[in-house]
Amino acid sequence: MKRKVMITIIAIISAFTLCGCENESVPAEVTGADVSETAAVSATVPESSGTASERASVSFAPAETEPEKTEAASSETTEAAVIAENQLDYSGRDFYLLMEFTGAESLQYYPRAVKLPNYRDDDFVIHSKFTITNLSEKSFDFIPQKITLYGSNNRDSGFMIPINARDTGLAASDGYYTVEAGETVSFDVDFVGDEVCVDYAYKIMYKAVGFREPNNVDPNELNNVSAAEFEITKRSAVKNAVRAGKDFQKEKSSSPSELVPREGEYSVLTHKNSFCFTAEPVSDGKYIKVALRVQCLTGEPEIFNPLRFRLYRTADKYSYAYRWEFDILLAGGKNPEVKNDLEGVSGTLYDTPWELAVRSDGSAEYTMYFQSSTYEPSEYYKFCYDGEKGDDVFECIINME
């Protein structure tokens, strides 16, 4: 029996010796094992035949394979020991990656994004910054839209991918970055998807080839795209970094407070919002201009129906705003049509939008122009938001005599 054991041990040692020899003649391909979590660089050695899934996986001590690369990776790993709570890093043989999560919020704060076909009203966005350093002697192309963030809690699971649409108020991952040898590149990534990922992220990975959506970057046309592939599966590390990013945003954001009226402004306070506005005739009384400031006090997304803002005149007759000025990123759905047709009024004016939102800090500004050419400005006596049931309703008596 002892002899059989000795023969077995010798056979195992011989097998590893042969693998070590083959590794000198066959280039090693990084598999994405996290060097910060293990003491060895994982490499796959292709066999002479068989599919990729049948390749043998062998681990080599860093000092035995790439002494120079190991030294670089070791220094980065030392740096990783002092990263912030909202940061997550990954050390590969050929690159070092630092991820910093800087916030999380409802996608409803970005109405131009939430209206896109791929998203829902209950989706969330996670803000992050990626910094990647090329430790190798060859350049590679990195495609941010190929990063996926996964989350799960009990039976609830989901994922987030970087948004690639422009003009939404979010960082669009619609291109790629060429990282030269020894170079460091940084870029913002806004992940959009299921809320469970905000508090219960468990994995983040980058696979340059495979799943593609229409209009995405085609990796087949780029250079060395698989060089920086990675997968981080240490659940506690991923969850804590993403959750800390959400807390980081809360700490930096001041608590919303009531607006302080400026000279000439009317002020209205409701259980949800603080409003301040001016109301004045312009263009020789042809229009009534109402410049409204909003501050949401609940910390929740707020959506306003533009047709519910009304200006009342005598006999309780009211008018809708004829033209609008606002930050186009606060408009949901399609872009409202530009209507620069008011005599004596400069700036970009729009037709009535479908809806209006507030920014992630709860603030917004909307300027409305009501037609009054057939009435005296002094006949208008009340401005209101005549919201439906459940909306934040207000009304304010005005005096333009």
Side-chain angles (χ1 to χ4, degrees), residues 189-224:
V189 177
D190 283 332
F191 294 93
V192 176
D194 300 298
E195 182 182 4
V196 67
C197 299
V198 175
D199 286 313
Y200 300 100
Y202 73 89
K203 181 173 74 171
I204 183 169
M205 64 178 292
Y206 169 70
K207 188 170 180 60
V209 295
F211 178 73
R212 274 188 70 211
E213 289 186 353
N215 302 321
N216 275 10
V217 174
D218 184 359
N220 296 319
E221 299 179 358
L222 303 182
N223 175 50
N224 202 16

Side-chain angles (χ1 to χ4, degrees), residues 87-133:
Q87 293 179 331
L88 183 69
D89 75 336
Y90 179 90
S91 294
R93 188 185 66 176
D94 293 330
F95 69 98
Y96 173 74
L97 177 65
L98 179 66
M99 294 156 274
E100 182 178 9
F101 300 96
T102 56
E105 57 195 348
S106 170
L107 191 62
Q108 290 191 51
Y109 283 121
Y110 303 90
R112 301 182 64 74
V114 78
K115 294 299 182 182
L116 293 173
N118 295 337
Y119 303 128
R120 306 188 307 261
D121 288 348
D122 58 352
D123 278 338
F124 269 67
V125 55
I126 292 176
H127 306 290
S128 67
K129 184 181 185 67
F130 278 58
T131 300
I132 186 167
T133 299

